[in-house]
Amino acid sequence: MAADASVTLDKLLELQDRDIAIDRLRHRWDSLPERAALDTVRTELEAVEKQLADTVERCDEAVREERRFDDEAGSLESKAAEVERRMYSGEVSSPRELQLLQADVDQLRRHRRGLEDRELDVMERRESLDVEVARFDTRAGELRAEASQLASTVSAAEAEIDEEVAGERAARAELAAILDPTLLDDYERRRERARGFGAARLVGTTCQGCHLSIPSVEAERIRTSPPGTVAHCDNCGCILVP
Ligand SMILES: [Zn+2]
């Protein structure tokens, strides 16, 4: 029984190696550089998509404005043509009246040309908005491709780490099954408190957990205790394994 107990303490150190490996893998999982890059790309994509939506909206507004000017110009031209039709229909013979009708036609056409000029301005504005829409659209497409590439890299890296963690966990479970539950509880509590080490090898008078020395009398006492006697480091509190 006593011999088994000293083997047990070595197994506890092996189990701790698994725990440390699992911690490292978790840390690697949490700090995958591709995930940070993916977040950056997604943030930029969101901003570009918003700019794209805003620009499309402004472009649509310009199209509506263009159409409105075009409709108004068209209706002014119809009116002018209608007045001209009357002028040349022979219905009106008074020179004074014909002069007034001509003035109407001129005024309607002036107004129409004014609207057409404004329509041209809007068209120019809309054309430069079209260029911007195309630019944001292209950029959004690039970012989407980049995000999808990064997302699959992240997934692959995560899956790889998950698999390693599963392997470490299985190995840990095998070790945990042969360890005394009280010792394991004690180790887990101490490891949680020390944030990393629950057990450490005693080399000479140095605890390999905190790398501080314990009194040599104490080190000697631990080394000459019956195998499996559980002792703790006064400095970091971890279980000392001679
Ligand atoms: Zn220590």
Side-chain angles (χ1 to χ4, degrees), residues 200 207-212 214 233-238 240:
C207 160
Q208 296 302 298
C210 60
H211 297 287
L212 294 173
I214 60 166
C233 168
D234 284 342
N235 303 305
C236 68
C238 71
L240 282 174

Side-chain angles (χ1 to χ4, degrees), residues 23-93:
D23 284 350
R24 282 205 192 106
L25 288 165
R26 280 209 191 109
H27 177 72
R28 208 165 86 204
W29 199 99
D30 286 339
S31 53
L32 283 172
E34 292 87 353
R35 197 185 298 111
L38 177 60
D39 285 346
T40 307
V41 169
R42 280 187 176 148
T43 305
E44 193 187 340
L45 177 59
E46 215 173 288
V48 170
E49 275 173 344
K50 193 182 172 324
Q51 283 173 304
L52 175 62
D54 287 350
T55 315
V56 166
E57 203 182 304
R58 284 167 62 206
C59 201
D60 289 348
E61 174 56 32
V63 169
R64 281 193 295 273
E65 219 179 325
E66 240 179 282
R67 206 170 296 147
R68 203 166 54 236
F69 284 136
D70 194 55
D71 289 349
E72 278 178 48
S75 112
L76 289 172
E77 180 50 36
S78 317
K79 278 183 198 157
E82 174 58 24
V83 176
E84 273 181 332
R85 195 198 57 76
R86 277 188 62 207
M87 284 169 67
Y88 301 117
S89 65
E91 295 164 23
V92 184
S93 52

Side-chain angles (χ1 to χ4, degrees), residues 100-153:
L100 285 172
L101 288 174
Q102 185 59 56
D104 266 0
V105 169
D106 291 347
Q107 209 247 337
L108 286 164
R109 293 229 160 101
R110 249 197 323 277
H111 192 179
R112 190 204 74 196
R113 279 193 298 275
L115 288 175
E116 280 170 352
D117 286 347
R118 289 169 72 189
E119 187 186 345
L120 267 178
D121 288 345
V122 175
M123 198 195 289
E124 272 170 31
R125 182 153 51 86
R126 198 254 307 149
E127 276 167 1
S128 67
L129 286 169
D130 278 342
V131 172
E132 268 186 71
V133 166
R135 194 165 56 84
F136 287 136
D137 202 36
T138 305
R139 185 66 189 134
E142 285 166 2
L143 289 167
R144 254 179 243 122
E146 212 179 314
S148 127
Q149 175 85 54
L150 282 167
S152 55
T153 308

Side-chain angles (χ1 to χ4, degrees), residues 202 214 217-225 229 231-232 240 242:
L202 176 66
I214 60 166
V217 178
E218 174 68 1
E220 198 43 38
R221 191 187 63 74
I222 293 169
R223 238 183 291 283
T224 53
S225 294
T229 307
H232 301 110
L240 282 174

